[in-house]
Amino acid sequence: IYQCDWSSDVCSSDLYLFTGTSAAQTITNNIDLSTKGGLVWMKDRTAGSTWHQLFDTARGGAYSIATNATDAQYNLGGYPTRGVQFNTNGFSVNDSYNVDISGHLNVSWTFRKQAKFFDIVTYTGNGSTGRQIAHNLGSAPGCIIVKCTSSITNWPVYHRGIANSYLTLNSTDANGASTAKYYWGDDTTVIAPTSTYFKIGRAHV
């Protein structure tokens, strides 16, 4: 169960129809991504074989990454040629890799960074297991999704409902319990996230 008022100023779900051919489109949803930061998740609903595409303010609007694949992020070059521009009242998109096909219906979900709701964290691996990764959520995260942006890896997911296990976002596999300590701990045990950090094992370093 995901709790969010989709008419609020921190999250939005939008359906929109691109009628141009790789033409710039502006989606106005009254979410301030430009100054507050956040993430836009998009999917073409007309062509089922297209990938999900995620853009966020931490990596920049030129970089797309797909939740249904293990690929590293793609550098699309940047708006206005390609990619996403983050605005104070939504976002603009142009030829953003499978979400700007003429006449196709698309869906987007927007998440703004906000204490006790949503945060984006980036870090560089250093080979140290049991490492603390700081966040600014201001409360213990209920869900954490991690993806290496520079290489081919899965998307492991922590959820407090299965705190001693993990899911894989890009896979149909059942949850994995025996190796969860290698994702959300120190390789010895699973360690619950706190209001300021979460720990990662060797699967993330």
Side-chain angles (χ1 to χ4, degrees):
I1 297 174
Y2 185 82
Q3 181 176 344
C4 178
D5 178 1
W6 290 104
S7 62
S8 72
D9 61 354
V10 295
C11 56
S12 176
S13 176
D14 301 287
L15 294 176
Y16 51 95
L17 184 65
F18 287 120
T19 56
T21 303
S22 298
Q25 305 282 334
T26 295
I27 310 304
T28 301
N29 56 24
N30 298 317
I31 306 295
D32 185 355
L33 295 169
S34 178
T35 59
K36 301 292 186 180
L39 175 144
V40 177
W41 184 331
M42 291 182 280
K43 176 68 173 70
D44 186 327
R45 298 181 68 208
T46 301
S49 60
T50 57
W51 286 9
H52 293 252
Q53 301 297 330
L54 276 65
F55 299 85
D56 61 74
T57 55
R59 295 177 302 123
Y63 294 94
S64 169
I65 197 163
T67 56
N68 56 286
T70 58
D71 296 38
Q73 67 181 5
Y74 290 86
N75 186 345
L76 301 179
Y79 193 86
T81 303
R82 297 184 73 188
V84 166
Q85 174 180 279
F86 301 106
N87 304 326
T88 57
N89 60 351
F91 62 95
S92 300
V93 61
N94 194 10
D95 194 24
S96 291
Y97 205 70
N98 293 331
V99 292
D100 194 13
I101 300 173
S102 178
H104 282 206
L105 186 66
N106 293 264
V107 63
S108 72
W109 299 272
T110 303
F111 301 87
R112 200 198 81 190
K113 293 176 70 173
Q114 173 69 32
K116 299 184 179 180
F117 170 65
F118 183 76
D119 192 22
I120 303 170
V121 173
T122 61
Y123 68 92
T124 301
N126 62 8
S128 176
T129 189
R131 178 181 174 189
Q132 292 185 6
I133 305 299
H135 65 78
N136 300 301
L137 197 62
S139 61
C143 182
I144 302 170
I145 303 173
V146 175
K147 177 66 174 79
C148 178
T149 60
S150 60
S151 64
I152 297 174
T153 58
N154 286 321
W155 292 72
V157 180
Y158 165 89
H159 194 280
R160 62 187 173 197
I162 49 169
N164 292 316
S165 187
Y166 71 95
L167 294 169
T168 305
L169 188 62
N170 58 287
S171 169
T172 59
D173 293 349
N175 61 301
S178 61
T179 57
K181 60 190 176 184
Y182 301 129
Y183 289 94
W184 319 116
D186 58 5
D187 290 0
T188 302
T189 185
V190 174
I191 300 173
T194 74
S195 60
T196 57
Y197 68 84
F198 62 95
K199 286 200 171 185
I200 55 172
R202 69 186 184 198
H204 286 318
V205 298

